[in-house]
Amino acid sequence: MKIAEVFLNQTNKRIDHAYDYRIPQQLEAVIKVGMRVVVSFGFGNRRVEGFVIQIKETTDYSGRIKEITENIDSQPILNKEQIELCLWMKTAYCSLFYEALSYFTMSVQIKQETCYFKNQGSFDLNLKENWFIEHYFTEDKNTEDKNALLIKKVKPEDRVILTALVKKKVVYAKKSWKIPGDPNGDDGSAETSYHLTDTGREALNWDKKIGKKQRELMDSLVYHDMTAGDLKMVLAQFEKSLSPLIKKDYVLTYKTLSQALRENPVEAAEKNQSVILTNKEQQSYNWYQELTKVKPGVFFHVFDGASKYRLFFKAIEDQLKSNKSTVIIFPEVNMTFQRMEMFYKYFGDQVGIYHGRLTQKQRAELYQRVQTGELKVVIGVRSALFLPFKSLGLIIIDDEHDSSHISISTPRFHITDIAKKASEIMGAAYIIADDTPRIATWYQIEKKAMAIIQIGEAQKLRHGIEIIDMQKEMHAGNMGILSRILLKYMQTGFEQKRMSVLFINNKGYANSVLCRNCGQIEKCPHCGVSLKYFNRDHSLQCHYCGYKMAVPLRCPDCGSDKIRHLGFGIDQLEEYLRKAFPGVRIGTVQGNMKRTEIKKMNRAIANSEIDVLIGTQVIIKHFNLTNVGVAAAVLIDRDLNQGNYQASETVYQTYSRFFEKAMDDTTKGLIQTHEPENDTIYSIKNESFQEFYRGEIRYRELLKYPPIVEMVSFGVFQNNDKEAENDAFRLYVAMKEELKGFGIEHAVYKPVRIGVTRGGNITYQIVLKSSDPRVFRNLMPKIIRLGIIEELKSKVSIQINL
């Protein structure tokens, strides 16, 4: 007898553990570890999807063991290393097993379908029921079982008849699971691929009638055949541009299910270019190889982007020689197509791209090609790490500071933490690359937990940055948004035909207040963060510990009554500029811009059609800035006073990148602030990460913030304010009681109302700080066993060190 340990797809943490199920004899050769199955669960024996994590010969369960009903997958969808990683995520982030599993199965998702079947025999049917049977149960349907009727095929007005037939037991219902987009599914179809012919290659040199978009598509096919999913990265609506090229025989299309039908991989490898390093890069790479013998993780401190990529390519090339795979994680695939072309250039058909524009069928085929080892170099966002690599040798995370590396659904994590655990489980090396490291990463480097290599030399280009004290501006009679010196520099720039770039980071409005006379901003005496303003009771509050005070009528420092909200928006700034400089040509960029909008604005900038560019962080990611006369951080204070412990780190990373992007030796740089003595601002001016890190780590050591301690934030939320508050306090009291047995090296703070989400949910936050990560991991099983979370009317979210 064989026994399978099965996790169930359900939402109750108390029963989220593996259950023993007997594998029936007819399925013993079929059921394997890593497959989804159907089991019966509970007194009602309801059919539930499950996942097999282990198969064994015996069980410790003394009761009657139920059988697995059927298998959903024909082959395992996860390997043993992935299962181990999934189980670790469940424990580390206190998530449901299936919440963690969802990251691994997003390419092979399943859906449940209800099918109806005819019972044999003769029945007394009326005209409508006879018509229904003759109309719907035909032999020419394109279904796996010709006698099966999918509920979605029945028109809504005919479902009353179907219900009557079920009641008479003429037909019966059966639920089944299906994998949408399965490349081995019913139609046997595969992704369409595109190949640049020899005629097309020659035409690139002589055919002047090839349009701009068509040439862009052809250029993308020079080194590598591409699927429709890949080409969406080049041009979202590519079919219209590609059709004429196919008619001219410049591009041909073909369908493929396997590597056997593709270009011979050995021949393809011969066409790919070898990676050639400079002497300095070769020295860095030799050092990297030595470091990986001691530690699996190496941090690339990047000052030369071109060298960074060549070192990436060399490391990948060596992995391929050892028949191992590599995954490269970028924050946003949409901004990396030029980089992808380089990957194709070196590694050709071994490269796959995993991104959000893929259809479910495209995702499923890429998943299969990774699983079989056909694709050995995968570029993507954080979800690419969860693909079933046959032999993963290297994980690369680029631009690690970017917030896109943090998951937005449960379990919440930073991809670096998952990469480190995956490295440990799978025996893979990992590279983290960034020009401005995260505090958490640099802390690991200082503790010798991670090795470091500097790529390139630091260039000091921003010695011209000036800090403008907006308090002095106000005392001098300037009550406007922009300082007099910034207006002067902008005017000079207009006269010299040079663009002005104004950075105003609109992401996350800081509900803070300040004294416009002296610049005083109220901060929490316990947590050291800015207090947030709450309009409902005109108060200031810390969203970590709950410290609360009324908004002062007069400044406690200078006695002024000029207490004002901190901040303004892009629209206000644009309106102010149009009054200050009539006729000036202003461009604004913010939010999630389409690629066509980005291209249009970049053309306008290149053609000197913009006098002033106002924008948020999209300036840093998407725009090519040249001939900039002045680059200014219009109001840095709002970001410095976001009310969370990571505000200074985010400001340093964001604004350092802005000035690096916008400035050259001739550009004037300005930072407008009400806090001219702020250490973070001076570190930006001095271009000194070490200076910033020393001050920031002292602050976190003093006030006990990550990475010094582990900080867990519990969000308790629903649309009823009072119930959310009651549930939050109930959870807090239970945690406080259970924590009594864990010593004194921890602190838990009372629930604090932190706001309303877009969906209308009111959220209360409970913060747990502990110097020992085991406190959280041991506390949560106790809370779950008590049934506290399941008994709450509200939902609970958990974030760790985010």
Side-chain angles (χ1 to χ4, degrees):
M1 179 175 71
K2 288 189 176 181
I3 305 295
E5 290 189 12
V6 179
F7 268 95
L8 307 178
N9 185 2
Q10 50 76 44
T11 58
N12 188 326
K13 278 188 165 68
R14 290 183 75 182
I15 61 172
D16 193 37
H17 56 80
Y19 291 83
D20 284 355
Y21 279 87
R22 188 162 61 84
I23 302 175
Q25 190 171 3
Q26 68 271 22
L27 291 179
E28 281 190 358
V30 177
I31 302 294
K32 296 182 177 65
V33 171
M35 289 173 56
R36 289 167 293 196
V37 295
V38 181
V39 298
S40 58
F41 183 72
F43 293 115
N45 285 327
R46 61 188 176 91
R47 286 163 56 87
V48 180
E49 176 198 339
F51 187 88
V52 179
I53 63 161
Q54 187 178 342
I55 294 177
K56 56 192 181 182
E57 300 294 332
T58 60
T59 178
D60 296 328
Y61 183 64
S62 57
R64 186 179 70 86
I65 298 179
K66 296 181 181 181
E67 282 190 347
I68 291 175
T69 306
E70 62 182 282
N71 60 300
I72 294 173
D73 300 303
S74 57
Q75 296 293 330
I77 56 169
L78 267 65
N79 55 44
K80 64 178 183 177
E81 292 85 5
Q82 287 182 298
I83 294 171
E84 185 178 347
L85 181 60
C86 185
L87 288 167
W88 174 84
M89 288 172 64
K90 167 185 157 37
T91 303
Y93 298 101
C94 191
S95 73
L96 293 164
F97 177 82
Y98 257 80
E99 287 175 334
L101 184 67
S102 65
Y103 287 97
F104 297 87
T105 59
M106 59 179 61
S107 297
V108 283
Q109 294 173 353
I110 57 175
K111 64 178 181 180
Q112 198 173 24
E113 291 184 334
T114 301
C115 285
Y116 290 85
F117 298 84
K118 285 191 301 181
N119 280 314
Q120 298 299 316
S122 58
F123 300 93
D124 184 19
L125 304 180
N126 60 35
L127 287 174
K128 285 185 177 180
E129 291 166 347
N130 266 316
W131 169 84
F132 186 97
I133 296 294
E134 291 174 4
H135 180 75
Y136 282 108
F137 285 92
T138 58
E139 295 298 320
D140 58 351
K141 297 193 306 297
N142 186 25
T143 60
E144 189 173 331
D145 188 330
K146 301 300 181 183
N147 295 314
L149 172 64
L150 291 173
I151 183 63
K152 65 182 180 181
K153 299 288 186 182
V154 181
K155 293 179 181 179
E157 60 268 25
D158 295 335
R159 292 183 184 180
V160 176
I161 308 172
L162 178 61
T163 303
L165 289 169
V166 172
K167 193 172 182 180
K168 286 184 175 183
K169 297 185 179 181
V170 178
V171 299
Y172 64 94
K174 184 179 179 182
K175 291 183 177 179
S176 61
W177 276 261
K178 181 181 178 183
I179 303 176
D182 184 356
N184 298 317
D186 301 338
D187 61 0
S189 64
E191 177 75 272
T192 299
S193 292
Y194 298 86
H195 172 77
L196 184 66
T197 64
D198 291 339
T199 305
R201 292 174 189 275
E202 293 171 7
L204 278 170
N205 298 319
W206 63 264
D207 191 345
K208 306 299 181 186
K209 293 182 180 180
I210 299 174
K212 187 176 179 180
K213 290 181 180 179
Q214 292 175 333
R215 186 171 292 276
E216 193 175 353
L217 288 168
M218 292 174 71
D219 285 340
S220 67
L221 295 169
V222 167
Y223 297 110
H224 176 66
D225 290 4
M226 297 178 75
T227 65
D230 297 337
L231 284 178
K232 285 180 182 178
M233 294 301 302
V234 188
L235 195 65
Q237 302 295 330
F238 65 89
E239 291 89 349
K240 187 176 178 182
S241 298
L242 207 56
S243 294
L245 300 176
I246 294 171
K247 288 180 181 177
K248 291 181 180 180
D249 196 32
Y250 292 172
V251 173
L252 64 82
T253 65
Y254 63 94
K255 299 247 183 191
T256 177
L257 281 172
S258 68
Q259 177 71 8
L261 298 178
R262 295 173 184 269
E263 184 178 21
N264 185 299
V266 177
E267 293 175 2
E270 291 174 358
K271 293 180 184 177
N272 301 333
Q273 297 188 18
S274 296
V275 182
I276 300 174
L277 303 178
T278 65
N279 291 334
K280 181 70 174 174
E281 289 164 356
Q282 188 62 54
Q283 289 174 14
S284 295
Y285 190 71
N286 292 342
W287 181 230
Y288 161 75
Q289 289 180 306
E290 290 300 313
L291 290 174
T292 52
K293 293 176 183 177
V294 182
K295 296 184 186 301
V298 178
F299 180 78
F300 282 8
H301 199 181
V302 179
F303 297 101
D304 183 338
S307 288
K308 173 188 72 173
Y309 281 111
R310 281 194 289 271
L311 289 168
F312 283 177
F313 299 145
K314 183 63 177 173
I316 296 168
E317 187 178 67
D318 282 353
Q319 291 296 328
L320 291 175
K321 288 176 182 176
S322 302
N323 201 30
K324 289 183 176 286
S325 302
T326 301
V327 59
I328 306 96
I329 311 293
F330 290 124
E332 298 177 32
V333 174
N334 287 347
M335 58 183 279
T336 61
F337 185 73
Q338 286 72 25
R339 308 180 208 179
M340 291 176 200
E341 282 191 296
M342 296 187 291
F343 283 93
Y344 290 138
K345 174 181 173 182
Y346 288 113
F347 310 118
D349 283 335
Q350 297 179 92
V351 176
I353 314 171
Y354 195 74
H355 57 85
R357 289 188 182 146
L358 298 178
T359 64
Q360 191 59 36
K361 194 168 190 72
Q362 290 163 351
R363 284 173 183 267
E365 183 177 350
L366 187 141
Y367 182 98
Q368 187 183 68
R369 293 175 65 198
V370 170
Q371 192 175 46
T372 59
E374 180 186 337
L375 294 180
K376 286 189 166 60
V377 181
V378 177
I379 307 164
V381 290
R382 58 180 181 271
S383 53
L385 181 57
F386 300 100
L387 290 168
F389 294 97
K390 200 168 187 180
S391 180
L392 186 61
L394 178 62
I395 304 165
I396 299 174
I397 301 175
D398 198 18
D399 290 336
E400 192 216 10
H401 75 279
D402 197 292
S403 61
S404 296
H405 285 309
I406 299 173
S407 66
I408 58 176
S409 57
T410 304
R412 295 288 310 277
F413 57 78
H414 193 291
I415 195 61
T416 297
D417 299 323
I418 305 298
K420 289 177 180 178
K421 190 63 182 180
S423 164
E424 178 187 321
I425 292 171
M426 302 176 189
Y430 63 90
I431 296 172
I432 296 171
D434 216 327
D435 54 352
T436 310
R438 291 194 304 145
I439 295 294
T441 298
W442 201 260
Y443 185 75
Q444 292 294 309
I445 292 167
E446 287 212 325
K447 295 292 182 183
K448 309 298 183 185
M450 188 183 301
I452 182 172
I453 298 175
Q454 181 172 309
I455 310 299
E457 301 297 328
Q459 300 295 317
K460 296 281 185 179
L461 296 174
R462 306 199 301 270
H463 52 272
I465 291 182
E466 299 177 47
I467 299 173
I468 308 300
D469 185 349
M470 294 305 286
Q471 297 302 316
K472 289 182 179 178
E473 288 289 313
M474 190 189 71
H475 294 320
N478 177 17
M479 306 300 289
I481 295 172
L482 304 182
S483 61
R484 291 165 298 170
I485 191 165
L486 175 52
L487 292 170
K488 176 186 171 184
Y489 285 156
M490 291 177 71
Q491 182 61 51
T492 302
F494 298 151
E495 293 167 1
Q496 295 175 349
K497 307 295 184 187
R498 301 187 74 183
M499 183 172 64
S500 298
V501 182
L502 306 183
F503 186 77
I504 173 170
N505 191 17
N506 254 6
K507 188 177 182 181
Y509 180 77
N511 297 310
S512 304
V513 295
L514 86 160
C515 172
R516 289 207 66 185
N517 187 57
C518 71
Q520 168 71 10
I521 295 175
E522 293 295 333
K523 296 194 175 183
C524 176
H526 311 297
C527 303
V529 297
S530 300
L531 297 177
K532 284 196 169 186
Y533 173 71
F534 286 83
N535 185 56
R536 62 194 179 110
D537 60 356
H538 199 54
S539 67
L540 298 174
Q541 193 169 348
C542 171
H543 75 254
Y544 289 145
C545 73
Y547 173 82
K548 187 175 181 180
M549 65 176 284
V551 176
L553 298 175
R554 290 187 173 274
C555 175
D557 268 24
C558 71
S560 169
D561 62 355
K562 293 183 173 62
I563 306 295
R564 300 287 185 270
H565 285 278
L566 178 62
F568 49 83
I570 283 180
D571 293 343
Q572 290 169 281
L573 181 55
E574 184 178 1
E575 184 181 346
Y576 177 86
L577 283 171
R578 294 200 184 281
K579 290 177 181 176
F581 301 107
V584 72
R585 298 171 298 177
I586 300 173
T588 62
V589 292
Q590 60 182 313
N592 296 320
M593 299 181 68
K594 296 177 180 177
R595 282 189 296 171
T596 51
E597 295 172 331
I598 293 169
K599 285 183 179 180
K600 184 178 179 181
M601 184 59 74
N602 268 320
R603 279 197 300 270
I605 293 169
N607 296 333
S608 301
E609 296 168 4
I610 301 292
D611 298 317
V612 183
L613 180 65
I614 309 171
T616 61
Q617 288 193 53
V618 293
I619 286 179
I620 304 168
K621 292 185 177 181
H622 297 300
F623 294 96
N624 304 315
L625 304 179
T626 56
N627 193 33
V628 177
V630 58
V634 177
L635 186 62
I636 199 171
D637 302 9
R638 179 168 60 187
D639 292 334
L640 282 169
N641 294 285
Q642 282 288 336
N644 71 70
Y645 78 93
Q646 294 174 311
S648 292
E649 178 178 3
T650 304
V651 165
Y652 182 82
Q653 292 170 338
T654 302
Y655 284 82
S656 292
R657 283 182 173 80
F658 165 69
F659 285 115
E660 183 179 355
K661 180 90 171 184
M663 291 183 68
D664 59 27
D665 285 331
T666 64
T667 306
K668 296 285 187 182
L670 276 82
I671 298 176
Q672 294 191 159
T673 177
H674 292 278
E675 301 180 70
E677 302 301 320
N678 185 282
D679 291 343
T680 301
I681 293 174
Y682 268 91
S683 296
I684 295 169
K685 172 182 169 57
N686 297 335
E687 299 179 79
S688 175
F689 173 76
Q690 290 293 344
E691 176 186 296
F692 167 71
Y693 175 79
R694 295 263 69 86
E696 184 66 10
I697 204 69
R698 279 196 300 270
Y699 158 72
R700 298 193 188 188
E701 286 171 343
L702 180 66
L703 293 169
K704 298 292 185 279
Y705 285 118
I708 309 304
V709 302
E710 180 175 84
M711 189 169 88
V712 185
S713 300
F714 297 83
V716 182
F717 57 94
Q718 63 154 296
N719 56 17
N720 184 300
D721 196 343
K722 193 62 183 174
E723 286 186 353
E725 183 181 21
N726 290 339
D727 284 347
F729 270 94
R730 187 177 177 190
L731 178 59
Y732 163 74
V733 169
M735 289 171 59
K736 197 166 182 65
E737 182 64 28
E738 292 301 320
L739 280 166
K740 288 179 180 178
F742 288 93
I744 60 172
E745 293 301 312
H746 60 265
V748 60
Y749 298 97
K750 289 181 180 179
V752 178
R753 189 183 193 274
I754 60 172
V756 183
T757 65
R758 286 181 181 177
N761 284 320
I762 294 90
T763 303
Y764 282 79
Q765 180 174 269
I766 304 167
V767 172
L768 169 67
K769 289 184 181 179
S770 174
S771 56
D772 186 350
R774 290 175 297 182
V775 169
F776 167 72
R777 285 156 184 73
N778 292 329
L779 168 69
M780 291 315 296
K782 291 187 175 184
I783 296 293
I784 290 166
R785 279 197 299 271
L786 289 170
I788 301 296
I789 293 177
E790 272 65 42
E791 291 171 6
L792 301 179
K793 295 179 181 178
S794 307
K795 292 183 178 180
V796 178
S797 64
I798 298 174
Q799 294 184 190
I800 304 175
N801 298 336
L802 296 178

